[in-house]
Structure formats: C-alpha cells, structure tokens
Amino acid sequence: MGVTLAKSGIDRIRPHMLVAESSDPKPPWALLHSNESVFGPSPLAREAARASVSDIERYLEFPDHILAPAIGECFNLDANRIITGQGSDDLLARLARAYLGPGDQLIRSANGYLKVPNYAHANDAEPVSVADDNLVPSVDNMIAALTERTKIVYLANPENPAGTYLNGAEIRRLHAALPDHVLLVLDNAYEEYVDASDYEPGHLLVEEANNVIMCRTFSKIYGLAGARVGWAFGPEDVIDVLRRIGLTFPVASPSAAAVIAAMQDPEHIRYVFEQNRAGRNFLADQVIQLGLNVVPSQANFMLIHMPDSEFSAAKAEAFLLNRGILIRRLNAPAYKDYIRVTIGMRHQLEAVVAGLRDFLAGGE
C-alpha cells in the first residue's frame, strides 16, 4: 500500500497543454509555442546576469529588499506592497495555498488560463468555471456564480490563451459585486502588450481596494522567461501572507540582476511593444486573407481557428512542425479547433502564413 496523498484534489490535476510530436530529429527552428519574447531581453540584462555569476555560490537573501524598491520605482508603486517569486505562477500558487481550502470555491472564466483549476484542486477547493462570451470573460456570469463559499475570483487580463481582454469599467463592475472577504486576483502577465484605449492597468484598482491583488511577470515583454521572476502588487496584509509561505531563497541572484538591469532599459521595451503590435497586425491580416478566422488579441500571441476535420488544428500543427515551426494546441474542448501562435519575428510569421497557405492547398 502506497503513501496516501495528503490532498485528494491532486488526483484531479490534468495537463493544460498538448505536446507536439515530431519524427524529425532536427529541433524546430521557430519556437512559437510558449509566448516567449522572440526579441529576447535587453542587452543590459544579459550582461548583468553574466556578471552576477561570479558570486553564484552565495544565496540571494531577502530578494524583495532589492527587487521591490526597484520595481516600485520603475512602475511608480509602493514597494511595501510588492513581492517577488519564481514567475507569477509561483505567486498564483501561493495565493491558492493561502486562501483556499476544502469546500472553498475559486471562480474563473471557463476558457481562461487553463492551469487555474489545478491551483484549486491542489488545495481540495472547487474551481467554478463560468461560461464566457465568445472567449471574452463574462462579468455577468462571474457575478451570478458568487456564493458564500467563494474565496477567490481569478481573471487574467488580457486572457491566455485567447488574448481577449476586459476594459476598466467591466473590471470595476466585477469588483463592486464582490463581498469584502473575496479576493480578486488580476493576472496581468501580458499587460505591457496592450494597445486598447479602454484598457485600465491593474494596479489602479489595487491602489483603491483592500481585496484586489495584481500579478505580473518579467517572462514576457522583458524577455526573461528563463530567469523565472514574477511579482505581485496588493494589500500589505496579503503580501505579508505570501511572503510567509514563500521559499527561503525564492529568486536566483543572476535572475535578480537581470531584472534590475532590464528595468533600466525602457527603450528595449518600447521596441518590443512596437514590433509585437506590428507582427500581430500582420499575422491577423494575412491569416484572414487565407480565409481563416482569428481571435483579436491584445497579447503576444494569436488564436487561429481551423475550419474542419480535413484541415484540423492537430493536422495544421503537425504540418507546421514538419517545417520546423512549433506552435501550440490547448487541452480544452473549446480550443480543439484552434492553434495558438506566438508573435514572432517577421520572417517567422511569414513562414507560418506560407505554411498555412500550403496546408490549406493540400501541400506537403
């Protein structure tokens, strides 16, 4: 007889991404599957990370003493309300561990970030997945789902994997309906890519409320996915809770050095933003000309709908992989007919379009 799992909900955890398989021994040349920045980090970040290796035998003690003030200065936020972790995923998992238990409920949009139910399952809580409006989170449905058991309402804005978003008025309408004891978790990992005029940065509501926390990351537009550094901005009591249950040494010294240097190069961030926006518009226009539908995105990726079983998402993925282009399919019924493509460099996007054109023409 084996050891009994401490939490039975762990048995309910399922993978949220599908892994493409290829018979080609050569690795793909275009990695457009994980929403990483194809433009990489600032050269300052690379240099700082290399330089920090000279002290790599040492732990970085109390990284928030260094990182929180730097983040606060960069984003004009109160450093006392900032915490860092191993990517925003670490902080989201800590929030669930701290505020969810058996019988509690976490409300989320049914086709939002597909890993979120696993945060609830890991704590024997119940994920409540509410219907959306054509892959756009529905505030009305989230409000209708509230019960006495609700402890967390989670919303990614923009959403992943759809790339859709809610404007500031809708986010505030959702918050106004929440009881004070319910924590609104805003996952703003892709916020730096947004160009919608009615989008409201997550920190504005956090500054006004005592039950809202915002999670952000350096993995996306800053190009530091491998460094694994995320951060959260929230009420001081919530930040204190997250700090208490964090790892002893949660951030590696090269990662911290890279993050601090990256924030000192705003020109690089502006460059990546403009390149991503241009690439996003290019890919959407070209794919629509092929007769395919796309989901309008405010992030650094795009969902493309494949039309039928003859030209399915799985077949399209395999076709592109055969050309060395790795994209993503998602493990959820709503996305079975979609492929998700990270916004790459222009020549990579041109290769995606050419591949889809040949695929639809029955080519090889």
Side-chain angles (χ1 to χ4, degrees):
M1 182 176 179
V3 177
T4 302
L5 286 175
K7 296 179 179 178
S8 60
I10 292 174
D11 280 338
R12 302 173 64 188
I13 292 177
R14 298 291 181 268
H16 63 288
M17 296 184 293
L18 298 174
V19 179
E21 297 182 1
S22 173
S23 58
D24 190 341
K26 295 181 296 184
W29 65 271
L31 303 179
L32 304 179
H33 62 305
S34 286
N35 303 342
E36 299 147 331
S37 174
V38 299
F39 306 101
S42 161
L44 298 180
R46 292 188 189 275
E47 182 180 345
R50 292 191 189 101
S52 73
V53 173
S54 61
D55 296 320
I56 203 167
E57 74 277 9
R58 302 291 183 186
Y59 291 118
L60 177 60
E61 295 192 16
F62 310 113
D64 285 347
H65 290 182
I66 302 170
L67 290 174
I71 293 170
E73 181 178 359
C74 180
F75 295 97
N76 194 27
L77 301 173
D78 181 356
N80 294 320
R81 300 175 62 181
I82 294 172
I83 187 172
T84 58
Q86 293 182 330
S88 55
D89 183 61
D90 168 32
L91 298 168
L92 293 170
R94 281 195 238 173
L95 283 166
R97 193 160 77 247
Y99 292 98
L100 294 177
D104 294 334
Q105 293 180 335
L106 176 152
I107 294 176
R108 43 88 65 167
S109 185
N111 297 308
Y113 184 32
L114 299 178
K115 188 175 181 179
V116 172
N118 291 345
Y119 296 133
H121 291 321
N123 295 283
D124 283 340
E126 177 187 351
V128 178
S129 300
V130 304
D132 56 35
D133 296 324
N134 295 321
L135 302 182
V136 178
S138 169
V139 169
D140 288 334
N141 290 343
M142 285 186 159
I143 293 173
L146 291 168
T147 72
E148 293 182 355
R149 296 164 55 198
T150 303
K151 293 296 178 63
I152 290 178
V153 173
Y154 168 91
L155 180 68
N157 199 36
E159 271 287 12
N160 173 30
T164 55
Y165 80 103
L166 290 180
N167 62 37
E170 283 294 275
I171 297 291
R172 288 177 177 274
R173 186 165 71 88
L174 172 62
H175 175 255
L178 302 182
D180 289 341
H181 70 275
V182 174
L183 184 64
L184 176 59
V185 177
L186 299 177
D187 184 352
N188 299 130
Y190 298 93
E191 181 170 289
E192 288 95 343
Y193 292 109
V194 175
D195 64 1
S197 60
D198 59 350
Y199 180 87
E200 181 179 290
H203 72 271
L204 296 180
L205 184 57
V206 177
E207 290 178 325
E208 300 173 18
N210 59 10
N211 63 336
V212 184
I213 187 168
M214 170 191 73
C215 292
R216 297 276 290 275
T217 183
F218 289 98
S219 296
K220 305 305 177 185
I221 203 168
Y222 282 89
L224 293 171
R228 305 307 300 128
V229 181
W231 58 283
F233 176 63
E236 287 192 47
D237 57 337
V238 177
I239 297 300
D240 178 64
V241 167
L242 296 184
R243 189 168 288 120
R244 288 171 183 267
I245 62 174
L247 298 176
T248 304
F249 305 108
V251 179
S253 50
S255 298
V259 161
I260 291 172
M263 288 188 289
Q264 296 170 355
D265 191 358
E267 190 60 37
H268 179 74
I269 302 307
R270 284 192 290 269
Y271 168 78
V272 176
F273 171 82
E274 293 295 346
Q275 291 296 310
N276 181 81
R277 180 166 62 177
R280 196 169 63 195
N281 291 339
F282 169 81
L283 182 61
D285 291 343
Q286 293 294 309
V287 168
I288 290 171
Q289 289 182 35
L290 295 179
L292 300 175
N293 294 322
V294 302
V295 177
S297 173
Q298 285 290 308
N300 71 330
F301 55 84
M302 182 165 291
L303 280 182
I304 301 173
H305 184 261
M306 305 310 299
D308 50 42
S309 59
E310 182 181 0
F311 301 107
S312 68
K315 291 178 181 178
E317 177 192 44
F319 189 93
L320 291 173
L321 186 56
N322 189 51
R323 294 193 170 189
I325 304 169
L326 183 59
I327 52 90
R328 180 73 76 192
R329 287 190 303 123
L330 290 307
N331 190 24
Y335 295 112
K336 69 180 182 64
D337 297 325
Y338 288 92
I339 57 174
R340 191 190 69 188
V341 180
T342 302
I343 304 302
M345 296 182 181
R346 179 58 68 95
H347 70 280
Q348 295 173 323
L349 299 179
E350 289 173 347
V352 170
V353 173
L356 290 174
R357 182 183 296 112
D358 292 345
F359 171 67
L360 295 171
E364 298 182 358

